[in-house]
Amino acid sequence: MTPGLPSRAGTPPADWRDTRPPAGGRYSYAFLDEGAKREIRRRILKAAAIPGCQVPFGSREMPIARGWGTGGLQLTLSLIGPEDVLKVIDQGADDSVNAVNIKKFVTRVTGVAVTTDTAAATMIQTRHRIPEEPLQPHQILIFQVPIPEPLRLVEPSERETRRMHAEADYSRMWLYLYEDIVKFNEITVGARYPVLVNCRHLMDPSPIPRWDLAKLHQGEALFLFCAGREKRIYAVPPHTEVQPLSFEDFAFRVEAFAGRRCARCGSGGTYLDEVIDDATGRRTYACSDTAFCEKARRSCGAAEDPPTREGIA
């Protein structure tokens, strides 16, 4: 077990090392070499010790294009053990092309079990959503992050943003939000809404909807964020304060779904995607979290499908 990381089901013993023959016989276990894994784990420990602070790391070349989850994939491969159960989602869906391909690749190089059930997973890699089902202390949620710098909206210089973080000088971000209110009577920032972590560091929560921000606050699981192109790792440990920037006289608001329900499961308390029928133009709504929606549709007490081991033909 890596020191400092949460204990979870499926973690290999402390003396376990990646010395087994690689899957397929061509790569080390979990694709990355042991030196790369150790470096990434050290950066994760530093990021968890300073919540919300961006930690640089040596991003490796991966067999997928940059921008398609190379950062999140590197974290997953560095932490995953042979007894882990993996779940991968893309904007809430388990069956999107990106999610399916990442699952197949991780399965090929590790042989771990995969699942669509949030509760059964020990490690979840996600793009743009947090599962609706509450996460538990033994779980790790890994975010694919395209742009890790929250101040990029107001400052293009990397040197200047580093200075602003060091001095906790976030006045320009506050001014940006204030100007939004003056112009539009609303804060127009949707996904990537800036949050203050542990009352100190301004953080980009990745392009998750504002609906999901409350799940970061005082969460039970470890949240890890990684941007492969930008070579940055940051983290929100369990039971950490995470607050979206908000004015006293203009409260932070999430997306409104008043009076709307999922057309598949009937849920009215989840984040909904709008679906438009091309033929009729009729608008309906469906849960963004497809696994949660499918579970809600099942009859009470129905057993979940057991984890499966997927391979590549």
Side-chain angles (χ1 to χ4, degrees):
M1 183 185 302
T2 305
L5 294 180
S7 174
R8 68 189 195 282
T11 303
D15 59 350
W16 180 82
R17 303 181 65 184
D18 295 342
T19 57
R20 301 182 305 148
R26 291 187 293 176
Y27 301 105
S28 62
Y29 181 81
F31 186 77
L32 296 174
D33 62 89
E34 290 304 301
K37 293 177 188 175
R38 282 193 294 270
E39 186 218 346
I40 292 173
R41 288 168 184 159
R42 287 194 293 267
R43 299 299 185 268
I44 291 172
L45 289 172
K46 182 176 181 180
I50 314 173
C53 180
Q54 298 173 48
V55 178
F57 80 107
S59 181
R60 270 65 176 180
E61 290 293 331
M62 300 300 293
I64 59 174
R66 292 190 181 273
W68 290 91
T70 57
L73 184 57
Q74 289 179 73
L75 292 195
T76 297
L77 296 175
S78 297
L79 295 174
I80 201 163
E83 301 303 322
D84 273 307
V85 179
L86 177 68
K87 173 181 169 73
V88 182
I89 57 175
D90 184 349
Q91 298 192 18
D94 294 88
D95 55 357
S96 70
V97 172
N98 191 38
V100 169
N101 285 338
I102 288 176
K103 279 191 290 189
K104 286 184 176 180
F105 173 71
V106 176
T107 301
R108 166 176 277 187
V109 296
T110 64
V112 300
V114 296
T115 184
T116 59
D117 181 10
T118 300
T122 60
M123 188 174 295
I124 304 171
Q125 182 172 329
T126 180
R127 176 176 177 262
H128 301 178
R129 279 306 316 275
I130 297 178
E132 299 288 351
E133 197 166 348
L135 301 179
Q136 301 304 314
H138 68 277
Q139 295 178 303
I140 295 178
L141 184 62
I142 297 173
F143 292 83
Q144 301 171 201
V145 181
I147 303 174
E149 180 52 72
L151 295 172
R152 193 65 70 233
L153 287 170
V154 297
E155 175 52 59
S157 169
E158 184 70 21
R159 170 183 284 186
E160 185 63 13
T161 57
R162 294 297 95 199
R163 180 199 66 78
M164 294 167 73
H165 282 297
E167 300 176 0
D169 178 11
Y170 300 134
S171 56
R172 291 169 65 179
M173 178 58 73
W174 285 104
L175 180 60
Y176 178 89
L177 299 180
Y178 172 75
E179 289 177 342
D180 243 12
I181 296 171
V182 171
K183 291 180 181 179
F184 308 109
N185 197 34
E186 180 64 88
I187 295 177
T188 59
V189 180
R192 297 187 60 213
Y193 193 96
V195 296
L196 196 63
V197 180
N198 214 24
C199 302
R200 174 56 180 87
H201 285 96
L202 192 69
M203 189 189 84
D204 186 320
S206 93
I208 61 175
R210 290 183 288 180
W211 181 276
D212 286 341
L213 292 182
K215 302 171 189 174
L216 294 173
H217 178 65
Q218 298 293 340
E220 294 286 341
L222 171 64
F223 300 103
L224 298 177
F225 303 78
C226 187
R229 285 179 300 184
E230 301 288 335
K231 303 178 177 64
R232 289 290 186 272
I233 294 172
Y234 50 105
V236 176
H239 309 293
T240 300
E241 184 174 349
V242 178
Q243 295 293 343
L245 297 189
S246 179
F247 297 93
E248 291 183 1
D249 57 346
F250 201 94
F252 169 78
R253 295 187 295 176
V254 301
E255 295 84 354
F257 298 107
R260 298 168 181 168
R261 308 185 75 83
C262 175
R264 299 182 71 242
C265 70
S267 175
T270 63
Y271 185 80
L272 302 175
D273 288 334
E274 186 179 55
V275 181
I276 302 177
D277 190 312
D278 292 335
T280 65
R282 181 171 175 265
R283 297 173 184 265
T284 57
Y285 294 87
C287 292
S288 171
D289 188 338
T290 56
F292 180 90
C293 186
E294 185 62 29
K295 183 178 287 189
R297 294 181 64 198
R298 297 179 182 179
S299 60
C300 294
E304 290 296 318
D305 293 335
T308 59
R309 296 186 178 273
E310 294 183 1
I312 299 179

